[in-house]
Amino acid sequence: MGSEPSPPQLLPPPLPLRTERLVLRTVVASDREAIGDYCAKPEVTRYLPFPALDDEGLTKRLDRLVAATAPSTVGEFLALAVEFDGVLVGDLMLRFSARHGDDAPPSIAELGWVFAPEYAGRGFATESARALIDLAFGHYPLHRVMAQLDPRNVASAALCERLGMRHEAHTREDFADRDGTWGDTAVYGLLRREWAAL
C-alpha cells in the first residue's frame, strides 16, 4: 500500500515586495527592538490573539516570524516586515488555512497585521496589505483570502473594507478572551475573481 500523495511544493515568494512608499521583506533577528516596541503596548495587542509581549514572549514570536519565509502547506505562514524610509513600522502575516483535496495546494489563506501606533493614519496598513493580497493571488494558487477579527476593532474592519473584502459573518461568543470573557468574531473575505476585478 503506497503513501498518500503530498501536495506540490510551492515556490518561495519573490521578495522583497516594493510599493510606492514601502518595502515588504522577511523578518530578521535585528527587527527585535522595533517589533518588541509596538508588541509590548497593550493598546496594540488589545484585539490580537496574544497579550502585550514581555521579553520571553517576544523571543518566541520573533523566532516564529523569522522562520516564516516560504510557506507551502496548510498551517504554515509568511511573515513580512513593513519598512518606511528604512524604519520598521509593522508586520503582516499570510497563513495557509485550508486546501481543496488531500493532494491539492493550499486554497485559502488568512491575513493578519500589526502596526506601530505612531504610524497610524498614513495608509501604510492599506498599502502593504494590498501588496500582500496581490502576492497571495498572484504568486500562490489561492481561491480565497480572509481575515478574522474582533468586531470592536473598527480600524481593522475599515481596513478590510478598503481592501475590497466583504463582511461575511459575525459569530457570537465563539472564542475565550484573555480575561476569561467570551468574544465575537467578524469574518471578512475576498475571492480570487473579486480581486481580479478590483
Side-chain angles (χ1 to χ4, degrees):
M1 178 178 273
S3 62
E4 290 188 19
S6 58
Q9 281 292 112
L10 300 177
L11 294 174
L15 299 175
L17 302 177
R18 297 181 188 279
T19 68
E20 183 179 347
R21 301 178 294 169
L22 306 171
V23 176
L24 282 64
R25 57 163 177 80
T26 55
V27 178
V28 294
S30 59
D31 293 327
R32 180 184 180 91
E33 183 177 352
I35 291 175
D37 182 57
Y38 58 78
C39 283
K41 297 176 178 175
E43 68 269 26
V44 172
T45 61
R46 178 181 178 192
Y47 299 119
L48 296 179
F50 57 85
L53 297 181
D54 58 14
D55 193 63
E56 180 183 356
L58 175 59
T59 296
K60 290 178 181 177
R61 176 166 168 74
L62 192 68
D63 287 347
R64 293 180 65 234
L65 296 180
V66 168
T69 60
S72 190
T73 191
V74 170
E76 295 180 344
F77 70 100
L78 173 67
L80 295 177
V82 180
E83 280 187 3
F84 171 68
D85 281 350
V87 176
L88 193 147
V89 298
D91 61 86
L92 301 169
M93 173 220 46
L94 180 73
R95 181 191 313 277
F96 295 146
S97 60
R99 64 179 178 233
H100 187 65
D102 291 339
D103 58 350
S107 54
I108 299 174
E110 180 180 356
L111 291 175
W113 47 79
V114 189
F115 281 84
E118 58 267 33
Y119 292 98
R122 300 172 68 176
F124 293 156
T126 304
E127 188 174 327
S128 58
R130 189 168 284 132
L132 182 55
I133 288 175
D134 289 346
L135 176 75
F137 288 120
H139 178 72
Y140 295 111
L142 296 177
H143 172 69
R144 166 181 163 80
V145 168
M146 61 177 290
Q148 299 183 85
L149 50 102
D150 188 314
R152 296 171 297 178
N153 188 348
V154 294
S156 283
L159 171 58
C160 288
E161 291 173 5
R162 286 194 301 274
L163 295 171
M165 304 178 87
R166 293 187 186 187
H167 182 216
E168 298 176 336
H170 181 129
T171 56
R172 298 177 301 146
E173 298 185 15
D174 63 338
F175 77 95
D177 212 341
R178 293 190 295 270
D179 63 4
T181 62
W182 285 95
D184 296 0
T185 299
V187 178
Y188 288 80
L190 181 68
L191 302 177
R192 173 178 287 276
R193 64 178 176 270
E194 295 169 336
W195 165 76
L198 290 175

